[in-house]
Amino acid sequence: MSNELGVTAVTRTIRQLLTDGVAPKWGSDVPGGDLLKQLFVETLPPHLVRKKHVSENVLNIYLYRTDLNGAWRNQPLPAAGKSSSAMPPLALNLDYLITAWGEDDQEEVAHFFLGQAMRVLHDTALMPRQTLFAVLKKAHVHDQIDRITITPKTLNLEEMMNLWSVFQSEYRVSAAYLVTVVLIESKVPPRSALPVLTRGPNDSGIDALAAAAPAIDGAKAASGFGAVRLGEDLVIAGQRLDNAGLTARLRHPFMPAAVELPVTPVSTTEARVTLPAAAAGSGVAAAWPAGVYSLSLVVVRPGKPAWTTNEVPFALAPSITATPATQQPPATFELTIEAIPQLHPSQSAFVLWDDVQLTPKSTTNVPGDPDAATEVKADVDAGIAPAGVHRVRLRVDGIDSIPIVQSGAIYKFDDAQSVEVKP
């Protein structure tokens, strides 16, 4: 298994392969004579090559990108497979750029060396273990379970130009290669559990449920409105909801802990839960903030551990009363809303005057009274309050109060949430 020197070992091995496989001369029979200057194989950033070697022949290997290997990511080594807590190795893909410079900036010389380099890497698609061992034994790349491959990588002209603009150097014809995979061993020691002596009381084994478990499809207000209010029923839809021993578990971000309520089965696909009413002395107004809740069912059977179903969301709307009920003459005035449940300090609230959203100028809770309503005040400008009846709503964390009341099959606007402006 490789260690932190694995990347260095791979870079040095590519350099060694090119040093051994690339001929420094092209022969005296080439028109113009043989090459006169030495060939250097470097691992420099491209913009530093000509600063170090002003006019010599240079083959440069530059690691420009590293990436996680998708096949090995989060995959433990086979040798550590029995240890459930063994950290997987860091599996890396390495992207290299091979670039050539010819002596005295002769392009055909650069092409000669680049062609040789590409041929050498083509011939060694599998990086030799013996070369990895010889170059940097301490890295242990030669010991890793997966072989390291060298694969040409196609970069279009735009990608190549983007690379060279990052290098802050003049563009040169280059060859890109993907080298994969370098497996760097984690230093987190694996932990192995002790053998299991018994499974359950008296080695009775696991508890298996022969029938399918209850599941929830959704939850909505029994009133038919888009949100439920305190004291109303919540209808739960799902499958196998007629089982005994079901309890509803409700959560809200501003509740310190989940609350459990009894469930009344109606059929195999329906059950009901009644939310507590904000009665005097109950503390419900402070304990049940408006907003989006999650609901799951807790299944309890005698002598067995409890377990929960999936969660579904539902909305709890505030209930409000608007004052004054009438306003005369039309002018800018202060609107006061009393809201149940109480507003949490971290909740966002807006007053809706017809279809106009107003920002409250104050929201006040009575200190030490968990049953009192929150007082919300907002200024209503005369420009949006012509003579007539206007409907008022309160939006808390995106959930609006319900301005409608139902009488049999008839729906009408709630007078308690309306303000009449008289001419």
Side-chain angles (χ1 to χ4, degrees):
M1 176 62 68
S2 307
N3 55 37
E4 295 89 341
L5 291 170
V7 177
T8 302
V10 169
T11 302
R12 287 189 177 185
T13 300
I14 296 175
R15 180 179 180 179
Q16 189 63 49
L17 291 173
L18 297 183
T19 300
D20 296 340
V22 174
K25 305 288 185 179
W26 61 12
S28 59
D29 57 339
V30 175
D34 206 351
L35 303 180
L36 302 176
K37 297 187 178 181
Q38 182 179 353
L39 171 64
F40 295 91
V41 182
E42 296 284 5
T43 58
L44 296 170
H47 69 284
L48 298 180
V49 172
R50 274 309 187 208
K51 291 182 179 180
K52 182 176 181 180
H53 303 284
V54 178
S55 60
E56 290 85 0
N57 300 308
V58 182
L59 262 177
N60 192 65
I61 307 143
Y62 184 60
L63 174 63
Y64 69 90
R65 184 172 182 263
T66 64
D67 195 9
L68 296 179
N69 182 275
W72 273 96
R73 190 174 186 181
N74 297 328
Q75 179 68 31
L77 291 172
K82 293 184 178 180
S83 176
S84 60
S85 63
M87 284 290 290
L90 173 62
L92 295 178
N93 295 338
L94 309 178
D95 289 302
Y96 286 92
L97 198 67
I98 311 298
T99 312
W101 283 261
E103 61 184 45
D104 301 322
D105 292 329
Q106 297 181 62
E107 281 301 301
E108 64 273 20
V109 177
H111 298 170
F112 168 65
F113 288 120
L114 183 60
Q116 287 194 83
M118 295 175 70
R119 188 263 307 158
V120 170
L121 297 182
H122 173 77
D123 291 344
T124 52
L126 283 176
M127 194 169 285
R129 291 187 185 271
Q130 62 271 23
T131 308
L132 289 164
F133 175 84
V135 166
L136 193 57
K137 176 183 177 181
K138 188 177 179 181
H140 293 286
V141 183
H142 58 281
D143 290 330
Q144 72 173 37
I145 189 171
D146 211 350
R147 295 290 300 272
I148 294 181
T149 61
I150 305 174
T151 309
K153 183 174 182 178
T154 302
L155 299 179
N156 59 41
L157 185 59
E158 182 181 359
E159 291 171 328
M160 189 68 78
M161 296 300 291
N162 288 339
L163 272 180
W164 283 93
S165 65
V166 172
F167 298 158
Q168 297 182 351
S169 181
E170 293 183 358
Y171 170 75
R172 295 202 51 83
V173 177
S174 306
Y177 288 87
L178 171 64
V179 178
T180 184
V181 57
V182 180
L183 301 174
I184 298 178
E185 186 176 10
S186 171
K187 289 191 175 181
V188 177
R191 301 182 64 180
S192 299
L194 292 171
V196 176
L197 299 179
T198 59
R199 292 168 292 181
N202 301 318
D203 201 21
S204 59
I206 62 172
D207 293 322
L209 185 65
I216 308 176
D217 295 330
K220 62 181 181 179
S223 63
F225 295 124
V228 68
R229 290 171 290 197
L230 291 175
E232 296 181 345
D233 282 356
L234 193 65
V235 177
I236 304 170
Q239 295 86 43
R240 298 169 294 279
L241 300 182
D242 55 345
N243 290 347
L246 295 181
T247 303
R249 178 174 292 170
L250 288 73
R251 301 180 188 273
H252 187 278
F254 297 131
M255 278 183 164
V259 176
E260 295 189 359
L261 297 176
V263 173
T264 302
V266 178
S267 66
T268 59
T269 59
E270 182 180 321
R272 292 204 172 203
V273 174
T274 301
L275 299 187
S282 65
V284 169
W288 289 74
V292 178
Y293 283 71
S294 64
L295 178 145
S296 60
L297 295 180
V298 181
V299 183
V300 179
R301 288 184 170 84
K304 306 297 181 183
W307 54 274
T308 58
T309 66
N310 59 303
E311 291 187 341
V312 295
F314 72 91
L316 175 65
S319 300
I320 68 169
T321 301
T323 56
T326 60
Q327 173 67 21
Q328 184 182 9
T332 299
F333 65 94
E334 182 181 80
L335 174 68
T336 300
I337 294 174
E338 292 186 346
I340 293 288
Q342 295 180 4
L343 266 67
H344 189 277
S346 299
Q347 288 185 301
S348 64
F350 297 96
V351 174
L352 298 180
W353 175 267
D354 291 333
D355 60 351
V356 179
Q357 180 172 289
L358 306 175
T359 301
K361 65 179 183 180
S362 67
T363 57
T364 306
N365 290 322
V366 178
D369 190 348
D371 299 315
T374 296
E375 187 179 73
V376 182
K377 292 183 179 291
D379 288 331
V380 180
D381 189 82
I384 60 172
V389 178
H390 300 270
R391 310 304 176 184
V392 178
R393 288 166 291 163
L394 180 66
R395 177 172 294 166
V396 179
D397 283 353
I399 307 301
D400 293 356
S401 60
I402 301 171
I404 302 172
V405 293
Q406 181 180 5
S407 178
I410 300 174
Y411 292 88
K412 65 176 184 177
F413 285 107
D414 187 0
D415 292 337
Q417 300 178 63
S418 304
V419 175
E420 182 182 3
V421 176
K422 293 186 177 181

